[in-house]
Structures are given as structure tokens and as C-alpha cells.
Amino acid sequence: MEAVISHPWNVTIQKAKEIQLSLSKRVLLKPLLKKVLLLAAVDVSYTRWDKQGYAVLGIFSIRYDNSDGLIRIKEEVIYTRKDRVNFPYVPSYLSFREIPMLLPLFEKVDIKPDVLLVDGVGIAHPRRFGLAAHLGVLYDIPSIGCAKSRLVGMYEEPAVKKGSLTKLVFKGEEVGVVLRSKDNCKPLFVSPGNKCNVGSAARIVLKCCSKYRLADPIRRVDAISKEIRKGDNRSSVSRHLTAGSLPCGMAKPIQKGGSKQ
DNA sequence: GCGACAG
DNA sequence: ATCTTGTCGC
């Protein structure tokens, strides 16, 4: 994929804020009605001292379970990258810490997924421009933020049953939902990133939750990220197939010795 | 002024 | 985010 927008990343917090305020105007909120068949997910894990980050981008082809209508991952193509982290973690500026590591991975993908799931927030952000919104705008694709905790907004606790949800309201606006993705488990904070709205975001994320608290695709990239952090060995581009063949255009991007450092 | 604060 | 054993609940 090729970014539609380009801007510096090694910036001060003040400049980062200006970029967020400027780019937030490009966020488009609308129903995402197209059936999701190709889904992407990203995540980054770190070493204890924050010196290195392990970024992962997964492209997943999807099938729908006949019985429950939930999404099942049919095939996956995984891209990973180990990088030194420069930008510190500053609440509401996570994009500037993680996106620089993810950019090289997106470059390797030559197709646009129907939606991108992100471990972080979308518009449920002080300036309505969290990590998911930022990535969605950069690549002009639908994106959804699936945070494990709250950054901003007020809400009431959703019922304990999976599928229960309550509104996440920030400054009088509904910026997302608090979604119970698994019975009796802490809820997820789902907010649209780009080319999606709150309702569609909640519907899609719930369909991605099969047996665990986290949406399957995010849980997958999260596991891979932590796995390679421990091992820190083998090729940085791997392929995993579970059945059938890849949709046209998806087979190409796999190469060996692709991305390291 | 003080507490809160995605990963 | 990461460091960590056992432990309580579904």
C-alpha cells in the first residue's frame, strides 16, 4: 500500500499535536456496509526497556461461520519488523511511537484490506485522532480502534454477557462503544478510525470475537509479536496457510529475507 | 491545582 | 507496554 499522506515523525509533542489537529479533519465517518473478506490487523510489542519494538502487520482472508456468523480466519500473511523505538510513550501520541515502525510493513502490501483493526483507539481521543484514525487516514482505508482500556470518554458498564455494549461519550459526542467481547471479561473500547462509524465498528469487532476477549486478528498479531520478541530469531517474513489458496493479488507479497531492521 | 492517561 | 505465581471464577 502507498500512503496518501506523508509527514515527519521525528517531531516535538507540540508539532505532533498540530499534525493530529490538521489530519483529524480528514477522518470520514460513514457506515461500513461492504462485507469484510480481507482484514488487516497491526500490533507492536516492546522489550522491557523500550529500546526495541516488534511490529506486526497481518493480512487475513476471512470466511463466515455458518452457525454463528462469526468471522473465521481462513488464511494469513504476516509481516514483521524489529526496530529501535525513538518516540517515548506519551498518552494520546501513541501514533508517533508506533507508526514509524509499521510504515515499512504497509509498503509490502499491494492490496487494500476491507478494514484494518488496530490495538488502540480511533476517534475516542482528545483530538479525535488516535492510532487507528491516523493509519486509516494515511492509507485511506476503513479502520477500527480496539483498545483494551479507556483513553477518554464517559460510559456505563455494559452487562456481563458477550455482545452487551454501552456508549462511550466524549464532549457530548458518541465516539465509540464499550463492548463486552466475552462473558464476564473486561470490555473492549471500540471506536471507528476512518471510513467507518460507531455502529459498524462495534458490529465488525464483535464478529471477530470467537472465544477470547480480544478480536481474533488482533489476538493473532499480538501473539506473533510477543513470540518473535522472545525468540528473536528466524526470518522476519513468514507465511501461514490453513486452507485453500490466496485470493488473487495476495500471493505475491511473500518473499524471503524481506524485512529486517 | 490535581488526577487521569491507548500502548 | 513489561515484570511475574499462584489463584479465583466461568
Side-chain angles (χ1 to χ4, degrees), chain A residues 54-86:
Chain A
Y54 295 82
V56 177
L57 165 60
I59 302 291
F60 304 91
S61 68
I62 294 312
R63 74 175 173 79
Y64 287 80
D65 191 296
N66 294 320
S67 60
D68 53 27
L70 296 182
I71 276 175
R72 304 290 160 165
I73 293 174
K74 195 194 324 182
E75 313 154 306
E76 63 179 29
V77 178
I78 306 293
Y79 299 89
T80 73
R81 179 183 175 84
K82 172 183 167 185
D83 246 330
R84 273 188 72 94
V85 188
N86 298 309

Short mmCIF file of all heavy atoms in Angstrom, two decimals, chain A residues 54-86:
data_model
loop_
_atom_site.label_atom_id
_atom_site.label_comp_id
_atom_site.label_asym_id
_atom_site.label_seq_id
_atom_site.Cartn_x
_atom_site.Cartn_y
_atom_site.Cartn_z
N TYR A 54 8.70 -4.58 18.31
CA TYR A 54 8.44 -5.65 17.35
C TYR A 54 7.08 -5.39 16.72
O TYR A 54 6.04 -5.62 17.34
CB TYR A 54 8.48 -7.01 18.04
CG TYR A 54 9.84 -7.34 18.60
CD1 TYR A 54 10.26 -6.83 19.82
CD2 TYR A 54 10.73 -8.12 17.87
CE1 TYR A 54 11.53 -7.09 20.31
CE2 TYR A 54 12.01 -8.39 18.36
CZ TYR A 54 12.40 -7.87 19.58
OH TYR A 54 13.65 -8.12 20.06
N ALA A 55 7.12 -4.88 15.49
CA ALA A 55 5.88 -4.51 14.81
C ALA A 55 5.38 -5.66 13.95
O ALA A 55 6.18 -6.37 13.32
CB ALA A 55 6.12 -3.28 13.96
N VAL A 56 4.09 -5.85 13.94
CA VAL A 56 3.49 -6.93 13.15
C VAL A 56 2.27 -6.42 12.39
O VAL A 56 1.43 -5.70 12.93
CB VAL A 56 3.04 -8.10 14.05
CG1 VAL A 56 2.36 -9.18 13.22
CG2 VAL A 56 4.22 -8.69 14.80
N LEU A 57 2.22 -6.81 11.11
CA LEU A 57 1.05 -6.49 10.28
C LEU A 57 0.57 -7.81 9.70
O LEU A 57 1.33 -8.54 9.08
CB LEU A 57 1.45 -5.53 9.14
CG LEU A 57 0.45 -5.40 7.99
CD1 LEU A 57 -0.91 -4.89 8.48
CD2 LEU A 57 0.99 -4.43 6.94
N GLY A 58 -0.68 -8.13 9.95
CA GLY A 58 -1.24 -9.37 9.43
C GLY A 58 -2.34 -9.08 8.43
O GLY A 58 -3.15 -8.18 8.64
N ILE A 59 -2.34 -9.81 7.32
CA ILE A 59 -3.42 -9.70 6.33
C ILE A 59 -4.16 -11.03 6.40
O ILE A 59 -3.55 -12.09 6.24
CB ILE A 59 -2.85 -9.50 4.92
CG1 ILE A 59 -1.96 -8.25 4.86
CG2 ILE A 59 -4.00 -9.39 3.91
CD1 ILE A 59 -2.70 -6.95 5.02
N PHE A 60 -5.44 -10.96 6.65
CA PHE A 60 -6.23 -12.18 6.83
C PHE A 60 -7.38 -12.29 5.83
O PHE A 60 -8.10 -11.33 5.61
CB PHE A 60 -6.83 -12.20 8.24
CG PHE A 60 -5.82 -12.06 9.35
CD1 PHE A 60 -5.49 -10.81 9.86
CD2 PHE A 60 -5.18 -13.18 9.88
CE1 PHE A 60 -4.55 -10.66 10.88
CE2 PHE A 60 -4.24 -13.05 10.90
CZ PHE A 60 -3.92 -11.80 11.40
N SER A 61 -7.50 -13.46 5.23
CA SER A 61 -8.68 -13.70 4.40
C SER A 61 -9.68 -14.35 5.33
O SER A 61 -9.31 -15.11 6.24
CB SER A 61 -8.33 -14.60 3.20
OG SER A 61 -8.02 -15.90 3.63
N ILE A 62 -10.92 -14.03 5.13
CA ILE A 62 -11.98 -14.39 6.08
C ILE A 62 -13.07 -15.28 5.47
O ILE A 62 -13.39 -15.18 4.30
CB ILE A 62 -12.65 -13.08 6.56
CG1 ILE A 62 -11.67 -12.24 7.38
CG2 ILE A 62 -13.91 -13.36 7.34
CD1 ILE A 62 -10.93 -12.97 8.44
N ARG A 63 -13.63 -16.12 6.33
CA ARG A 63 -14.84 -16.85 5.95
C ARG A 63 -15.82 -16.67 7.11
O ARG A 63 -15.41 -16.35 8.23
CB ARG A 63 -14.55 -18.33 5.72
CG ARG A 63 -14.32 -19.13 6.97
CD ARG A 63 -14.17 -20.62 6.63
NE ARG A 63 -13.77 -21.40 7.80
CZ ARG A 63 -14.63 -21.79 8.74
NH1 ARG A 63 -15.92 -21.47 8.65
NH2 ARG A 63 -14.21 -22.49 9.78
N TYR A 64 -17.07 -16.82 6.83
CA TYR A 64 -18.07 -16.64 7.88
C TYR A 64 -18.62 -17.99 8.32
O TYR A 64 -19.05 -18.79 7.51
CB TYR A 64 -19.20 -15.73 7.38
CG TYR A 64 -18.74 -14.29 7.29
CD1 TYR A 64 -17.99 -13.85 6.21
CD2 TYR A 64 -19.02 -13.39 8.31
CE1 TYR A 64 -17.53 -12.54 6.13
CE2 TYR A 64 -18.56 -12.08 8.25
CZ TYR A 64 -17.82 -11.65 7.16
OH TYR A 64 -17.35 -10.37 7.10
N ASP A 65 -18.61 -18.20 9.62
CA ASP A 65 -19.10 -19.46 10.15
C ASP A 65 -20.61 -19.55 9.92
O ASP A 65 -21.36 -18.63 10.25
CB ASP A 65 -18.81 -19.52 11.66
CG ASP A 65 -19.05 -20.90 12.23
OD1 ASP A 65 -20.20 -21.35 12.20
OD2 ASP A 65 -18.07 -21.53 12.67
N ASN A 66 -21.04 -20.64 9.35
CA ASN A 66 -22.46 -20.80 9.03
C ASN A 66 -23.35 -20.79 10.26
O ASN A 66 -24.45 -20.25 10.24
CB ASN A 66 -22.69 -22.11 8.27
CG ASN A 66 -22.02 -22.07 6.90
OD1 ASN A 66 -22.05 -21.04 6.23
ND2 ASN A 66 -21.39 -23.16 6.50
N SER A 67 -22.88 -21.35 11.34
CA SER A 67 -23.71 -21.44 12.53
C SER A 67 -23.85 -20.14 13.32
O SER A 67 -24.96 -19.69 13.60
CB SER A 67 -23.16 -22.53 13.46
OG SER A 67 -21.83 -22.22 13.85
N ASP A 68 -22.74 -19.52 13.65
CA ASP A 68 -22.83 -18.32 14.47
C ASP A 68 -22.58 -17.01 13.73
O ASP A 68 -22.72 -15.94 14.31
CB ASP A 68 -21.85 -18.44 15.64
CG ASP A 68 -20.44 -18.76 15.16
OD1 ASP A 68 -20.11 -18.41 14.02
OD2 ASP A 68 -19.68 -19.35 15.94
N GLY A 69 -22.21 -17.07 12.45
CA GLY A 69 -22.00 -15.85 11.69
C GLY A 69 -20.72 -15.12 12.05
O GLY A 69 -20.46 -14.03 11.55
N LEU A 70 -19.93 -15.73 12.92
CA LEU A 70 -18.67 -15.09 13.32
C LEU A 70 -17.61 -15.29 12.25
O LEU A 70 -17.67 -16.22 11.44
CB LEU A 70 -18.17 -15.69 14.64
CG LEU A 70 -19.04 -15.45 15.87
CD1 LEU A 70 -18.38 -16.05 17.09
CD2 LEU A 70 -19.27 -13.97 16.06
N ILE A 71 -16.64 -14.40 12.28
CA ILE A 71 -15.54 -14.46 11.31
C ILE A 71 -14.54 -15.55 11.70
O ILE A 71 -14.25 -15.74 12.88
CB ILE A 71 -14.83 -13.09 11.28
CG1 ILE A 71 -15.58 -12.15 10.33
CG2 ILE A 71 -13.37 -13.23 10.88
CD1 ILE A 71 -15.02 -10.75 10.33
N ARG A 72 -14.07 -16.26 10.71
CA ARG A 72 -13.01 -17.23 10.95
C ARG A 72 -11.87 -16.87 10.02
O ARG A 72 -12.10 -16.53 8.85
CB ARG A 72 -13.47 -18.66 10.61
CG ARG A 72 -14.69 -19.10 11.35
CD ARG A 72 -14.42 -19.32 12.83
NE ARG A 72 -15.68 -19.29 13.57
CZ ARG A 72 -15.86 -19.69 14.80
NH1 ARG A 72 -14.84 -20.18 15.46
NH2 ARG A 72 -17.03 -19.62 15.39
N ILE A 73 -10.66 -16.95 10.51
CA ILE A 73 -9.51 -16.65 9.68
C ILE A 73 -9.25 -17.85 8.78
O ILE A 73 -9.11 -18.97 9.25
CB ILE A 73 -8.27 -16.37 10.55
CG1 ILE A 73 -8.47 -15.07 11.33
CG2 ILE A 73 -7.02 -16.29 9.66
CD1 ILE A 73 -7.37 -14.77 12.33
N LYS A 74 -9.25 -17.60 7.48
CA LYS A 74 -9.02 -18.68 6.54
C LYS A 74 -7.52 -18.78 6.24
O LYS A 74 -6.92 -19.84 6.35
CB LYS A 74 -9.80 -18.42 5.25
CG LYS A 74 -9.90 -19.66 4.37
CD LYS A 74 -10.36 -19.38 2.93
CE LYS A 74 -11.38 -18.30 2.79
NZ LYS A 74 -11.81 -18.12 1.40
N GLU A 75 -6.95 -17.65 5.85
CA GLU A 75 -5.52 -17.63 5.54
C GLU A 75 -4.91 -16.36 6.11
O GLU A 75 -5.62 -15.39 6.37
CB GLU A 75 -5.30 -17.62 4.02
CG GLU A 75 -6.12 -18.64 3.28
CD GLU A 75 -6.36 -18.20 1.85
OE1 GLU A 75 -6.86 -17.09 1.63
OE2 GLU A 75 -6.04 -19.00 0.95
N GLU A 76 -3.61 -16.37 6.26
CA GLU A 76 -2.96 -15.17 6.78
C GLU A 76 -1.59 -15.00 6.18
O GLU A 76 -0.90 -15.96 5.86
CB GLU A 76 -2.86 -15.24 8.30
CG GLU A 76 -2.00 -16.39 8.80
CD GLU A 76 -1.88 -16.40 10.32
OE1 GLU A 76 -2.81 -15.94 10.99
OE2 GLU A 76 -0.83 -16.87 10.81
N VAL A 77 -1.22 -13.72 6.00
CA VAL A 77 0.12 -13.38 5.55
C VAL A 77 0.62 -12.41 6.60
O VAL A 77 -0.05 -11.41 6.90
CB VAL A 77 0.12 -12.70 4.16
CG1 VAL A 77 1.54 -12.32 3.76
CG2 VAL A 77 -0.48 -13.64 3.13
N ILE A 78 1.76 -12.73 7.19
CA ILE A 78 2.27 -11.93 8.30
C ILE A 78 3.57 -11.22 7.94
O ILE A 78 4.48 -11.81 7.38
CB ILE A 78 2.55 -12.84 9.52
CG1 ILE A 78 1.30 -13.66 9.88
CG2 ILE A 78 3.01 -12.01 10.70
CD1 ILE A 78 0.14 -12.84 10.39
N TYR A 79 3.63 -9.95 8.26
CA TYR A 79 4.85 -9.17 8.06
C TYR A 79 5.31 -8.69 9.43
O TYR A 79 4.50 -8.24 10.24
CB TYR A 79 4.57 -7.95 7.18
CG TYR A 79 4.07 -8.30 5.80
CD1 TYR A 79 2.71 -8.46 5.56
CD2 TYR A 79 4.95 -8.49 4.75
CE1 TYR A 79 2.24 -8.79 4.31
CE2 TYR A 79 4.50 -8.82 3.49
CZ TYR A 79 3.14 -8.98 3.28
OH TYR A 79 2.67 -9.31 2.03
N THR A 80 6.60 -8.80 9.68
CA THR A 80 7.10 -8.34 10.97
C THR A 80 8.35 -7.50 10.78
O THR A 80 9.01 -7.55 9.74
CB THR A 80 7.45 -9.52 11.90
OG1 THR A 80 8.66 -10.13 11.43
CG2 THR A 80 6.33 -10.54 11.93
N ARG A 81 8.66 -6.74 11.78
CA ARG A 81 9.82 -5.87 11.72
C ARG A 81 10.29 -5.52 13.13
O ARG A 81 9.49 -5.20 14.00
CB ARG A 81 9.45 -4.58 10.98
CG ARG A 81 10.58 -3.58 10.87
CD ARG A 81 10.08 -2.31 10.20
NE ARG A 81 11.09 -1.28 10.18
CZ ARG A 81 12.04 -1.20 9.26
NH1 ARG A 81 12.08 -2.06 8.28
NH2 ARG A 81 12.93 -0.23 9.31
N LYS A 82 11.58 -5.60 13.31
CA LYS A 82 12.17 -5.26 14.60
C LYS A 82 12.85 -3.92 14.43
O LYS A 82 13.62 -3.72 13.49
CB LYS A 82 13.18 -6.34 14.97
CG LYS A 82 14.02 -6.04 16.19
CD LYS A 82 15.03 -7.15 16.39
CE LYS A 82 16.10 -6.76 17.38
NZ LYS A 82 17.14 -7.79 17.48
N ASP A 83 12.56 -3.01 15.30
CA ASP A 83 13.09 -1.66 15.17
C ASP A 83 13.41 -1.04 16.51
O ASP A 83 12.82 -1.40 17.53
CB ASP A 83 12.04 -0.78 14.49
CG ASP A 83 12.50 -0.32 13.12
OD1 ASP A 83 13.72 -0.18 12.93
OD2 ASP A 83 11.63 -0.11 12.27
N ARG A 84 14.30 -0.09 16.48
CA ARG A 84 14.54 0.67 17.69
C ARG A 84 13.45 1.71 17.80
O ARG A 84 13.02 2.28 16.81
CB ARG A 84 15.91 1.35 17.63
CG ARG A 84 17.05 0.47 18.12
CD ARG A 84 18.33 1.28 18.20
NE ARG A 84 18.30 2.22 19.32
CZ ARG A 84 18.80 1.95 20.54
NH1 ARG A 84 19.35 0.78 20.75
NH2 ARG A 84 18.75 2.84 21.49
N VAL A 85 13.03 1.95 19.02
CA VAL A 85 11.96 2.92 19.25
C VAL A 85 12.58 4.24 19.69
O VAL A 85 13.45 4.25 20.55
CB VAL A 85 11.00 2.44 20.34
CG1 VAL A 85 9.80 3.34 20.42
CG2 VAL A 85 10.57 1.01 20.06
N ASN A 86 12.13 5.30 19.08
CA ASN A 86 12.65 6.61 19.44
C ASN A 86 11.66 7.42 20.25
O ASN A 86 11.94 7.84 21.37
CB ASN A 86 13.02 7.38 18.17
CG ASN A 86 14.11 6.68 17.40
OD1 ASN A 86 15.14 6.33 17.95
ND2 ASN A 86 13.88 6.46 16.12
#
